[in-house]
Amino acid sequence: MNIDFNLFMNDHVLRARQEIVEAGYTELKTPEEVDEALNKKGTTLVMINSVCGCAGGTARPVAAHALHYDKRPDQLVTVFAGQDKEATEKARSYFTGYPPSSPSFALLKDGKILKMVERHEIEGHEPAAVMQKLQQYFDEYCEEV
């Protein structure tokens, strides 16, 4: 049986994109879109999406469920590592002091990095623990909804 790997991956990527957009995040696919979004006043949560298992099993569900909280960022955006490479590279240029990591979350305020939840803090961790960490950052830096 021949399985078209590219077709499989394209379907997987499409589902991963849809999942995060349906959660309320805006996809940024170009460096220009990244600059425009990350330079806005206020707090911004960037979800660096990927096709790995810890993205689908932990990071994307956390990205959706962490928002059901009293405080949350003003803006929710996402870039897709390995797919929208230039946009992801541009987003990572804002994450000074942190190595590339996907999946991950970056919390920024007025274009400046405040906190990161890196892959090593996602992979192998319970979704509830990752969500608690994000919500702690929301408590510290974000306004009530």
Side-chain angles (χ1 to χ4, degrees), residues 54-87:
C54 61
T58 303
R60 285 192 300 276
V62 164
H65 294 292
L67 304 178
H68 301 287
Y69 198 64
D70 294 341
K71 293 183 177 182
R72 60 183 262 190
D74 300 314
Q75 178 178 219
L76 306 168
V77 299
T78 183
V79 293
F80 206 122
Q83 299 299 312
D84 302 320
K85 294 176 185 176
E86 292 175 354

Side-chain angles (χ1 to χ4, degrees), residues 3 9 13 24 31 33-34 37 39 49 69 75 85 87 94 114 125 128 144:
I3 297 175
M9 284 307 295
V13 167
E33 290 174 344
V34 170
N39 283 303
N49 203 354
Y69 198 64
Q75 178 178 219
K85 294 176 185 176
Y94 286 81
L114 297 170
H125 294 270
E144 284 196 35

Side-chain angles (χ1 to χ4, degrees), residues 1-142:
M1 172 159 81
N2 261 346
I3 297 175
D4 185 342
F5 183 73
N6 287 330
L7 186 61
F8 169 78
M9 284 307 295
N10 287 341
D11 185 52
H12 192 64
V13 167
L14 179 62
R15 280 186 276 131
R17 286 184 188 277
Q18 287 173 332
E19 190 175 342
I20 198 70
V21 169
E22 288 171 2
Y25 290 72
T26 300
E27 268 194 304
L28 307 175
K29 293 185 176 186
T30 68
E32 296 78 20
E33 290 174 344
V34 170
D35 277 336
E36 183 180 335
L38 299 191
N39 283 303
K40 287 184 179 175
K41 289 283 185 204
T43 53
T44 302
L45 181 65
V46 182
M47 192 277 181
I48 297 84
N49 203 354
S50 75
V51 293
C52 72
C54 61
T58 303
R60 285 192 300 276
V62 164
H65 294 292
L67 304 178
H68 301 287
Y69 198 64
D70 294 341
K71 293 183 177 182
R72 60 183 262 190
D74 300 314
Q75 178 178 219
L76 306 168
V77 299
T78 183
V79 293
F80 206 122
Q83 299 299 312
D84 302 320
K85 294 176 185 176
E86 292 175 354
T88 303
E89 184 177 319
K90 178 52 96 172
R92 287 177 172 156
S93 75
Y94 286 81
F95 312 154
T96 53
Y98 294 94
S101 178
S102 59
S104 60
F105 296 93
L107 183 63
L108 296 92
K109 183 168 186 172
D110 302 335
K112 305 288 185 220
I113 186 74
L114 297 170
K115 297 286 185 177
M116 286 281 300
V117 178
E118 299 174 82
R119 180 186 176 115
H120 69 86
E121 298 170 286
I122 297 170
E123 186 175 33
H125 294 270
E126 290 296 318
V130 178
M131 186 169 66
Q132 280 184 315
K133 180 173 277 206
L134 265 186
Q135 289 174 338
Q136 282 179 310
Y137 296 157
F138 296 172
D139 278 337
E140 193 172 342
Y141 297 103
C142 300

